[in-house]
Amino acid sequence: MSKTTAAITAVGGYVPKFVMTNNMLEEMVDTNDEWIVSRTGIKERRVLRPEEGNGTSYLAIKAAEDLIQKKNIDPKEIDLVIIATATPDSMVASTAAFVASEIGAVNAFAYDLLAACSSFLFGMSTAASYIESGRYKKVLLIGADKMSSIIDYTDRTTCIIFGDGAGAALFEPNEEGLGLQDEYLRSDGKGRQFLGMDAGGSLMPATEETVKNRKHFIYQEGKTVFKFAVSNMADVAERIMKRNDLEHTDVSWLVPHQANKRIIDATANRMGLDNSKVLMNIERYGNTTSATLPLLLADFESKFKKGDNLVFAAFGGGFTWGSIYLKWAY
């Protein structure tokens, strides 16, 4: 009997309509287009406005509906919905449960998964494990974040980087040896002092003081985070290649987290990859956190061929990071 693997069989994506350009940010903070592009590779990002919709769930629902329409599947066939996110609608009620109900996945159970910018990557491992167990046939993994809800638009170190968006991937059993092949996932709790959000959780509940002191917005120590991201994303991507005897010529596509173009370039260089094999949409969306990886899949779906070797790599707050090797199934 052949081993059952977990393959991605459909993808979908969604970004808000409102485009926030670097020129707009020049009016808000002390920065300029040339500096932002040279340091990050970002030219614009999308922001979810109230007139379009509210909350991360809105973005997730749109991405899921895009996938369902393209795949032409009955949502009632979905067994599980996982929302990978750093910005759930609220802290108690599961965003995934609401999304599952709204898209008609009435037979699915659902929950949220939070690992900062590595949320979708870790979610891939989780979704694959459910499929490989044989208990479930269709797992919908959605990476979605409304980063504008936790961004301080007076802080030029963070407001230039992040955007809103969502992407979705359907995982199903495969008997051809395609789908998820290997993973190397890591974390280091010492990293939360360099990238995080102080208030709003059990450690520092909301008070008049936390709001006044702008503790409900994310912060990052840029140089430290950049250094860790460059070394760790490159390390795990290189490790997954060596562990699976992959040469640079064997890798069809690098699917990297879209945090900073310089980090992506460093990862590709360590892997020995030509730029033509590196997927990027950071110039249009910025860093959409949990949504970067699935949005790449949705944007570049037409380029993939059955059997293509994809290497995913991500790095996020906490710190969390890792790499996944997957064979494309369609």
Side-chain angles (χ1 to χ4, degrees), residues 19-45 159-162 282-286:
V19 178
M20 180 177 284
T21 65
N22 290 345
N23 290 333
M24 291 178 183
L25 287 171
E26 288 177 10
E27 303 297 319
M28 300 160 68
V29 291
D30 181 17
T31 191
N32 61 73
D33 175 70
E34 184 184 0
W35 190 91
I36 296 172
V37 173
S38 66
R39 292 301 185 99
T40 68
I42 302 168
K43 295 180 180 177
E44 57 189 40
R45 69 286 295 144
C159 73
I160 65 169
I161 297 168
F162 295 95
I282 189 171
E283 72 279 358
R284 291 184 290 132
Y285 303 147

Side-chain angles (χ1 to χ4, degrees), residues 9 11 31 50 127 165 176 188 227 235 240 245 275 278 281 285 298 317 325 327-328:
T9 59
V11 295
T31 191
E176 301 175 89
D188 182 353
K227 180 182 173 184
D235 284 347
I240 212 89
D245 297 321
N275 285 339
V278 182
N281 55 18
Y285 303 147
Y325 165 36
K327 281 186 175 289
W328 196 250

